[in-house]
Amino acid sequence: MTSFTADLGAELRRRVERAGGDYPPLYPAVILSASVVVTVVSVAQRYPFDRPGWVIAGLVLACVTLVLDLSVPPSSFVCFTVLASTLCFLMDPVPNDAAPLQLILSAAIGAAMYSLRTGIRVVALCIALVVGFGIFGGLESPALYALGVACGWLIGYMVLIQKRLSDNRARVLRERADRAASDERRRIAREIHDVIAHSLSITMLNVTGARRALEQDRDVDEAIDALTDAERQGRQAMSEIRTIVHVLGADESQPPTAAPGGRDLAALIDDYRKAGVHVSYRVAGDLASLPDPVSAALYRITQESLANVVKHSTANRATVNVTVDDSVEIIIENPHLGGRARDRGGAGIDGMTQRAALLGGTLETRHDDGTWMVHATLPARVMTDGLSV
């Protein structure tokens, strides 16, 4: 018995929710309850029945309206069955009649759930019915009922406008959330790309150096040093990837590690030097004074540029110049003897450009006279909530 009651309650709730269309279930529940109360009061006011045929017809139409509300999707046809039910009740007029209150509910429903044209038609018919019975049918205070119908329509239309504003706001919030998620995916893709590209470049150079040391010089110590550096780079890459995964919330048990920044540039340059790339490095200014976002972007741009040196240049030589003043300027140059600009189809250059743009900076690449250059300008301060940090 309890299970049957629960199933019946769930089915009734589902039907009430469907009757309300896109509105919260409370709206149709209140309207349907009010309609039932008005119908019961209208029937009770006419007891003992002088014209039982009209009262029964009004009651039947009211019940049909309720069944339609709970059985079929919302339709403006239901409003007209309410008007027919009210008409039947008004054929047996009584003092202080409650039946016209159904017209107020119908006007509110017509304005809130259907098109403006349909709502106006419903309210016009309701007012016409009130005025007609006020003149010819003995309905008391028709002007008061007509005003109530007009107010019902106005309230329904205001509810409709509020719903549309709410829907628009929800749509805007969804679009913002989608853009934020897309931006976050691109940011994570850049981070993973930079970490993997850098680590694989260094690892490849170290493994190649170890192979050559064993094949040509039989220098086991040099080969072991190269493999040790490759192992260290692999562990560092795993640590950074673990940090990215932690940010995503996939592994909250792992404590996040600090992202590399400008202070780590010297160690980054040293890794490439150990791997066999001849890097000239010069810094003018205080890298430690840079805010974390700028410092991280500076590191990642340098990291990606040097990884590109390994991938695209045959000279294994580069220069890195960093200047910290009112802005941060970094220039990475390396010989590029292919006679043409390197392919821009990869994600590296686009990722560096996006990093600079997100901070309000710029990045350009140029191939000129056998030299490939990456030139980035970043703000020395970033704005957070209107404050420079």
Side-chain angles (χ1 to χ4, degrees):
M1 184 64 180
T2 303
S3 176
F4 174 76
T5 304
D7 293 341
L8 183 62
E11 177 64 18
L12 180 61
R13 178 181 176 83
R14 185 183 66 82
R15 290 177 179 272
V16 170
E17 289 177 351
R18 185 175 63 179
D22 296 332
Y23 287 95
L26 179 62
Y27 283 43
V30 170
I31 291 295
L32 292 176
S33 299
S35 180
V36 170
V37 170
V38 169
T39 300
V40 171
V41 172
S42 299
V43 173
Q45 283 182 318
R46 286 160 173 79
Y47 181 82
F49 307 123
D50 293 335
R51 298 181 178 180
W54 288 112
V55 176
I56 293 174
L59 179 60
V60 169
L61 286 171
C63 292
V64 169
T65 301
L66 181 62
V67 171
L68 290 175
D69 281 331
L70 297 176
S71 302
V72 299
S75 171
S76 58
F77 174 76
V78 175
C79 291
F80 298 105
T81 61
V82 173
L83 266 66
S85 173
T86 305
L87 185 148
C88 292
F89 282 126
L90 292 178
M91 292 300 294
D92 184 13
V94 294
N96 302 316
D97 201 345
L101 297 181
Q102 286 280 32
L103 302 179
I104 298 176
L105 295 175
S106 296
I109 294 172
M113 297 194 63
Y114 309 116
S115 66
L116 179 60
R117 179 179 298 179
T118 300
I120 291 176
R121 287 176 179 174
V122 171
V123 73
L125 288 175
C126 290
I127 292 177
L129 194 63
V130 168
V131 172
F133 274 92
I135 296 174
F136 303 106
L139 178 65
E140 297 178 353
S141 305
L144 185 61
Y145 287 121
L147 180 61
V149 169
C151 290
W153 180 88
L154 181 61
I155 292 173
Y157 191 69
M158 290 173 62
V159 170
L160 176 65
I161 295 300
Q162 182 63 35
K163 177 179 177 298
R164 289 177 177 175
L165 291 175
S166 179
D167 291 344
N168 288 338
R169 178 174 175 77
R171 177 179 54 80
V172 170
L173 291 177
R174 285 195 302 269
E175 291 175 353
R176 288 180 180 176
D178 291 341
R179 285 198 298 268
S182 179
D183 292 342
E184 184 66 9
R185 285 194 296 269
R186 285 194 293 268
R187 186 189 70 81
I188 293 170
R190 289 196 301 269
E191 293 290 335
I192 294 176
H193 173 273
D194 291 348
V195 169
I196 294 177
H198 160 69
S199 300
L200 288 181
S201 298
I202 297 292
T203 301
M204 181 178 64
L205 288 174
N206 282 314
V207 171
T208 301
R211 178 180 58 80
R212 289 177 178 174
L214 292 174
E215 288 180 348
Q216 300 175 5
D217 303 329
R218 303 294 180 180
D219 190 338
V220 176
D221 291 338
E222 183 178 345
I224 290 177
D225 289 341
L227 291 174
T228 300
D229 282 340
E231 181 184 7
R232 181 175 59 82
Q233 287 296 327
R235 292 183 183 279
Q236 180 180 343
M238 286 299 298
S239 176
E240 293 190 33
I241 291 175
R242 199 173 287 119
T243 299
I244 295 172
V245 171
H246 176 81
V247 171
L248 289 174
D251 187 4
E252 298 182 356
S253 63
Q254 296 290 337
T257 59
R263 299 176 181 179
D264 303 301
L265 277 181
L268 176 68
I269 300 297
D270 190 52
D271 287 338
Y272 278 95
R273 286 172 176 168
K274 289 179 181 179
V277 180
H278 303 285
V279 183
S280 174
Y281 177 51
R282 185 184 67 85
V283 177
D286 183 14
L287 291 176
S289 66
L290 297 176
D292 290 343
V294 176
S295 183
L298 178 64
Y299 181 91
R300 293 303 189 193
I301 290 172
T302 306
Q303 184 184 60
E304 174 63 20
S305 298
L306 292 178
N308 285 338
V309 171
V310 175
K311 289 187 290 184
H312 300 288
S313 176
T314 58
N316 279 349
R317 186 170 69 255
T319 62
V320 179
N321 295 315
V322 181
T323 302
V324 179
D325 197 358
D326 293 336
S327 61
V328 182
E329 183 179 51
I330 179 169
I331 299 175
I332 301 107
E333 295 179 311
N334 67 275
H336 186 64
L337 306 178
R340 62 182 179 85
R342 68 187 57 165
D343 184 12
R344 293 177 60 92
I349 294 176
D350 289 340
M352 292 190 294
T353 303
Q354 290 172 5
R355 285 185 185 278
L358 286 173
L359 294 172
T362 60
L363 184 141
E364 60 177 356
T365 58
R366 185 167 66 249
H367 181 263
D368 188 22
D369 294 333
T371 299
W372 177 264
M373 184 183 72
V374 176
H375 181 197
T377 302
L378 305 173
R381 297 290 182 268
V382 294
M383 300 300 293
T384 302
D385 295 333
L387 299 176
S388 178
V389 298

